[in-house]
Amino acid sequence: MRYDICMQNEGQLTTESGIVVERCYGPEDRDAAGSDRIGVPGEFPFTRGNHPGGYRDRLWTFRQYSGFGNAEWSNERYKLLLKEGGTGLSVAADLPTQIGYDSDDPEVEEEVGRVGVALDSLADAEILFRDIPLDKISTSWTVNGTAAIMLAFYVAVGAKQGVPRAKLRGTIQNDILKEYVARGTWIWPPTPSIRLIADSIEFCAEEVPRYNAVSVAGAHFRDAGANAAQEMAFTLQDAVTYCDEIVGRGRMTIDQFAPQVSFFFYTHNDFFEEIAKYRAGRRRWAEIVRERYGAKEASSSMFRMGTVCGGWTLQAQQPQNNIVRVAYQAMAAVLGGVQSMFTAAWDEPFALPTEESTTLALRTQQILAHETGVARTVDPLGGSYFVESLTDQMEEKIIGIMADLEAHGGMVRCIEDGYVQGLIADESAAIQRKIDSGERVIVGVNKYQSNEPAPGLVPPAMDESARRVQLDRLAEVRRTRNTRAALGALKQLRSAAQGDANLMPHLIECVEEYCTVGEITKELKDVWGEYQQPAVF
Amino acid sequence: MSVPVRVLVAKPGLDGHDRGAKLVARSLRDAGFEVIYTGIRQKPEVIASIATQEDVDLVGLSILSGAHMGLTRKTLEALRDAGAGDIKVVVGGTVPQSDVQPLLDMGVTAVFPTGTPIEALVAEVRRVMSSSNT
């Protein structure tokens, strides 16, 4: 069989984003945009990476997304991952925690502890990080709607451990805009939500200087159906929206907070396009930060990113094939120069991973780092005729998409009227058509199928006893806290929310008085209202 | 189909992953059904109320958070409470094989776990709806 029989698009081979791929590339393709566009590692525009030493000086962080049930269970899983060589934590919170409901709220009965750990109050956070030294281990949080509250938890737990704010390291996703488009853990409307994000970025810049206050995420656009170019463009446009807000306040310059802005993406299957996506994104961001905001420090222009491998690309059919998919994706991510990585377990299409599958996913990164030699030299594909050409073309596409979003009134407008959601749904449908027609091959799904039964995996669901522990602790917190002080802190928060003071000190005050996530969220809902979604398909 | 079958695609609970739900909605529309999509994070009572107001013939629930058993039971109850127990309910999402039969026993007409081909889903919806019209 000839390769191009199953991959052609009107007679041409293309990447998943639709960039035409030629039979062969030469020096003229590499240098079309000018050789200064490539540059050297560690220097503006950072096409070849942020640091001159690359992974020789520092490997990427192995950061496995994990959390389920209650704080005790998750604390045990974290210790297992650290014992097995994980180098950072990544907290998965359950949906009630992410959307601002307490575990005893009857509306969320079904969801407590299910896709992540239930965190209602500081009491849970204290247990979650028990015996984990927060001055040594960095922690990433995939939380957005309630991100500022989780950040307050972390600062408060650090204080209890005796770790000063300046020593806390990690990342909080804290990117609400993409939640309105995909993933869906929004709470309040965009304007107050962006204000809260800007508040937390300002707070981190002043108080928690080693903490990434935002991780602008394209991953969820991607898994919802966006192609690689859209993923990068939508993400950069979101980042611009946040930076506009902070710079617009006039209290801080870009150089004061940009080093704490980070990014997060999915790495999918199209190997070279993924590498080009990261190289192009790095260059584009460097230029945006310098040109749009007048950054003076080179470190402000650095595009620091994490990635997740797996997600939508993982298949229920012949599921062990997913191990191979994730391994290739991980290699693409490393050749693209990521700073941290989560490799999903092969059984992700069915359930939360088992201890075995989650360890295998971590081993995938360890083999990549220590056996394949890809980390030996910086940006090994730099100067490749093909990869540099693809990087240039990817960048052009990103510029075009961002210009279109600006022409439609900017990202908030594009989200509120469903424009971005529509673009993603169109792309998702187009991909599905290609899969249905067999034009896009997925091994085990539309080619080389076998009729093996689905594995009989039993998800480690939150059993009743674990939920009981959670509910008992919440009741205990409500009973034993200083109610007067807690209510006072909530009242202060409400009045601050009505003005334009930074809310972070008030949130820390609330969590230290053991106010719950649900109580804090409700207080702010009373002031700000709730988001109303457009339902576009 | 002389009278188009009306379908409500709904996302109960807190799960916001709706790539699948939107794809199913589009595919059913392209196959000639009249499709309404609720958006994410709908309460079971609200789904039942939309289903009766819109006079749909079928409700398709999409749940990827693992909360399918409880949310499906609540939606079936809400439909019965709204006097719409005759509306068929199908469920798709991250449903382990071990939960398929319990969902059917609960009163669900069909279950589409992860990995179900879209065309198989459309064909099955067409089949169950045509058998109910005869």
Side-chain angles (χ1 to χ4, degrees), chain B residues 67-100:
Chain B
H68 44 272
M69 298 301 291
L71 290 171
T72 302
R73 180 174 48 77
K74 285 186 173 175
T75 307
L76 288 167
E77 282 167 9
L79 282 168
R80 276 195 294 273
D81 291 348
D86 58 320
I87 296 177
K88 288 188 189 318
V89 174
V90 297
V91 177
T94 313
V95 179
Q97 282 302 321
S98 54
D99 285 346
V100 171

Side-chain angles (χ1 to χ4, degrees), chain A residues 148-398:
Chain A
I149 305 172
M150 298 300 125
L151 177 60
F153 277 162
Y154 203 68
V155 169
V157 173
K160 294 216 164 206
Q161 286 192 2
V163 178
R165 292 175 180 179
K167 282 196 163 177
L168 296 173
R169 286 184 303 123
T171 302
I172 189 135
Q173 196 163 76
N174 203 15
D175 167 17
I176 201 66
L177 286 170
K178 58 92 173 60
E179 296 289 329
Y180 297 118
V181 176
R183 199 167 180 277
T185 65
W186 35 260
I187 302 169
W188 311 287
T191 302
S193 297
I194 291 170
R195 174 242 174 126
L196 189 53
I197 288 166
D199 282 359
S200 47
I201 294 174
E202 278 184 356
F203 171 78
C204 283
E206 284 167 352
E207 303 268 334
V208 203
R210 299 180 73 194
Y211 212 84
N212 294 317
V214 63
S215 172
V216 192
H220 313 91
F221 296 129
R222 188 66 182 286
D223 235 31
N227 62 41
Q230 288 174 322
E231 177 191 23
M232 184 58 71
F234 296 164
T235 306
L236 294 179
Q237 197 66 37
D238 280 351
V240 161
T241 309
Y242 300 133
C243 290
D244 282 357
E245 165 74 16
I246 299 169
V247 169
R249 289 176 169 192
R251 301 201 283 244
M252 256 183 199
T253 66
I254 188 81
D255 290 311
Q256 285 172 279
F257 69 90
Q260 285 168 279
V261 174
S262 67
F263 295 86
F264 187 69
F265 301 94
Y266 252 111
T267 305
H268 278 182
N269 286 331
D270 197 325
F271 193 77
F272 290 106
E273 177 164 85
E274 291 299 323
I275 296 166
K277 174 183 83 180
Y278 292 128
R279 300 175 88 252
R282 221 163 19 232
R283 184 157 76 204
R284 192 84 289 276
W285 181 244
E287 289 177 349
I288 289 170
V289 170
R290 188 174 277 190
E291 286 162 14
R292 186 173 178 121
Y293 302 111
K296 296 189 173 57
E297 305 291 332
S299 60
S300 302
S301 280
M302 282 184 193
F303 185 76
R304 290 158 312 109
M305 62 189 162
T307 190
V308 46
C309 304
W312 177 81
T313 64
L314 303 189
Q315 303 297 333
Q317 293 89 341
Q318 302 176 16
Q320 293 194 334
N321 293 348
N322 294 331
I323 299 167
V324 183
R325 292 189 177 102
V326 166
Y328 285 135
Q329 293 165 0
M331 184 176 273
V334 165
L335 293 173
V338 299
Q339 275 67 53
S340 84
M341 178 150 54
F342 162 44
T343 35
W346 65 271
D347 51 2
E348 194 184 49
F350 305 102
L352 297 186
T354 61
E355 280 193 14
E356 290 75 25
S357 68
T358 203
T359 306
L360 176 58
L362 175 60
R363 297 282 180 259
T364 307
Q365 293 195 47
Q366 290 164 336
I367 291 168
L368 180 61
H370 302 298
E371 296 186 20
T372 67
V374 288
R376 281 185 201 128
T377 188
V378 187
D379 188 32
L381 296 179
S384 149
Y385 302 145
F386 175 46
V387 171
E388 295 299 353
S389 167
L390 204 53
T391 302
D392 292 343
Q393 291 182 77
M394 182 57 83
E395 189 180 9
E396 258 174 55
K397 266 193 177 279
I398 294 164

Side-chain angles (χ1 to χ4, degrees), chain B residues 14-46:
Chain B
L14 302 183
D15 160 42
H17 293 86
D18 64 353
R19 180 177 190 160
K22 288 175 170 175
L23 210 50
V24 165
R26 273 201 189 201
S27 302
L28 289 172
R29 186 187 64 194
D30 294 347
F33 295 89
E34 283 186 5
V35 182
I36 303 152
Y37 174 50
T38 60
I40 62 171
R41 287 168 54 184
Q42 301 297 323
K43 294 177 193 171
E45 314 85 77
V46 173

Side-chain angles (χ1 to χ4, degrees), chain A residues 478-537:
Chain A
R478 290 199 210 275
R479 195 166 53 242
T480 57
R481 67 184 173 184
N482 180 339
T483 306
R484 198 184 167 83
L487 293 177
L490 287 171
K491 200 171 158 205
Q492 288 283 329
L493 173 69
R494 175 191 285 248
S495 105
Q498 285 159 342
D500 61 2
N502 192 307
L503 293 184
M504 279 312 301
H506 298 283
L507 288 170
I508 293 169
E509 174 76 18
C510 285
V511 306
E512 286 183 335
E513 295 298 346
Y514 292 87
C515 299
T516 65
V517 171
E519 290 164 349
I520 295 170
T521 304
K522 184 180 171 301
E523 207 66 38
L524 294 174
K525 265 187 198 169
D526 288 349
V527 181
W528 292 340
E530 287 184 70
Y531 176 65
Q532 302 299 320
Q533 61 182 319
V536 182
F537 71 86

